[in-house]
């Protein structure tokens, strides 16, 4: 399988499909990541919050590190300068590697200075611990502030994106500023399989609803990160590059936007431990 890539500001190439690992823990994480690597995925998306970096580390130990693109993320409670450095070092230790290809601020945290967080990210970048820096779940407002204060390019914004949540203004802002958009929850956690146009196109192209949705996102210049524990799904989800949707059918999917998230809801539960914000 040859996966197309997108260039990042530092010259690295980001594979347009990565394996999502949220909620995969223990043996399930090991087996799923192993299946993904055997199927030809070279890009893995994890986070300190996913509690699976050690398992991923065990699996990738058998692979040539240079052939892999590894992303991890720092939790929003760990965005003070020293905490970012410590979180990154701990992720590297668990993953058994001496660098990350991409390190993301998992969520913006309004209680901690963005400048301080990005100063730490710049230090990690300077020291070679992270090759590229990015953000996740940032609005255009937050991303533009990050770009303003950062000493390193913000290479990526990983956001919820699928046919039912297309976020045209945010995606356009990312495009204008050369920030690659990565789709978190690109399958809307299966919700979007119910969409009637997705189902019609799946029948017409003899593909699964998942394949239709992933191919559409890639054609919209968005990197996809599908998660699966089912070996047949893992393999099929990466089988996207020897067929294509017509422009008319892409436009039919463009028209399915409902502004309907599966996880990025407007308000947050600030009591959740990931924020570390006492009342
Ligand atoms: N930055 C963030 O805050 C953030 C937030 C959300 C997600 N993410 C990243 O994005 C990744 C993907 O998002 P997600 O895990 O939320 O959900 P998702 O990839 O949109 O959906 C996963 C669900 O789809 C099913 N599925 C996968 N392929 C399928 C297929 N071919 N046919 C039928 N069902 C299929 C899976 O079940 P099976 O296991 O049975 O296949 C699973 O239930 C995450 O794992 C994570 O890496 C990041």
């Amino acid at each position: 399988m040859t996966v197309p890539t997108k260039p990042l500001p530092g010259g690295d190439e980001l594979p347009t499909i990565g394996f999502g690992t949220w909620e995969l823990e223990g043996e399930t994480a090991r087996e799923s990541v192993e299946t993904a690597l055997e199927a030809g995925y070279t890009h893995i998306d994890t986070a300190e919050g996913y509690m699976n970096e050690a398992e991923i580390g065990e699996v990738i130990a058998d692979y040539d590190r240079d052939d892999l693109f590894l992303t991890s993320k720092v939790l929003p409670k760990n965005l003070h300068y020293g905490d970012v450095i410590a979180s990154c070092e701990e992720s590297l230790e668990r993953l058994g590697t001496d660098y990350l290809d991409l390190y993301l601020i998992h969520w913006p945290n309004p209680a901690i200075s963005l400048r301080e967080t990005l100063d730490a990210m710049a230090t990690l970048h300077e020291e070679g611990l992270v090759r590229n820096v990015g953000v996740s779940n940032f609005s255009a407002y937050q991303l533009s502030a990050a770009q303003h204060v950062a000493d390193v390019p913000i290479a990526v914004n990983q956001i919820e994106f699928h046919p039912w949540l297309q976020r045209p203004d945010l995606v356009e802002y990312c495009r204008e500023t050369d920030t690659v958009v990565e789709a978190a929850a690109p399958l809307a956690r299966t919700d979007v399989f119910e969409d009637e146009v997705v189902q019609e196109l799946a029948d017409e192209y003899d593909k699964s609803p998942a394949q239709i949705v992933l191919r559409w996102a890639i054609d919209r210049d968005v990197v996809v990160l599908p998660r699966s524990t089912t070996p047949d799904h893992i393999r099929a989800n990466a089988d996207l590059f020897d067929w294509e949707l017509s422009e008319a059918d892409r436009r039919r999917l463009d028209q399915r936007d409902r502004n309907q998230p599966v996880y990025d809801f407007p308000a947050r539960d600030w009591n959740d431990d990931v924020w570390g914000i006492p009342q």
Side-chain angles (χ1 to χ4, degrees), residues 22 45 136-137 158 185 187 189 225 227-230 233 237:
W22 173 66
D45 183 77
S136 177
N137 301 306
Q158 184 181 121
L187 307 174
R189 298 185 177 159
L225 306 168
R227 161 181 59 104
S228 175
T229 55
T230 307
H233 294 169
N237 290 349

Side-chain angles (χ1 to χ4, degrees), residues 160-181:
E160 183 176 347
F161 177 90
H162 45 73
W164 285 358
L165 186 69
Q166 300 190 22
R167 322 179 83 166
D169 295 343
L170 176 54
V171 169
E172 180 55 27
Y173 179 73
C174 290
R175 192 153 295 145
E176 279 168 14
T177 57
D178 290 328
T179 311
V180 174
V181 175

Side-chain angles (χ1 to χ4, degrees), residues 19-24 45-46 50 73 104 106-107 136-137 158-159 183-190 193 208-211 225-230 232-234 236-237 262-263:
F19 188 63
T21 68
W22 173 66
E23 274 200 325
L24 307 184
D45 183 77
T46 184
Y50 296 174
K73 316 185 190 83
L104 305 179
H106 203 147
W107 287 88
S136 177
N137 301 306
Q158 184 181 121
I159 55 171
L187 307 174
R189 298 185 177 159
T190 74
F193 300 166
S208 69
Q211 288 172 314
L225 306 168
R227 161 181 59 104
S228 175
T229 55
T230 307
D232 285 348
H233 294 169
I234 295 172
N237 290 349
V262 292
Y263 82 82

Side-chain angles (χ1 to χ4, degrees), residues 193-213:
F193 300 166
E194 289 163 29
D195 184 277
E196 78 188 37
V197 171
V198 170
Q199 290 184 357
E200 276 173 33
L201 293 178
D203 284 347
E204 214 176 288
Y205 284 82
D206 197 20
K207 299 290 174 191
S208 69
Q211 288 172 314
I212 296 294
V213 165

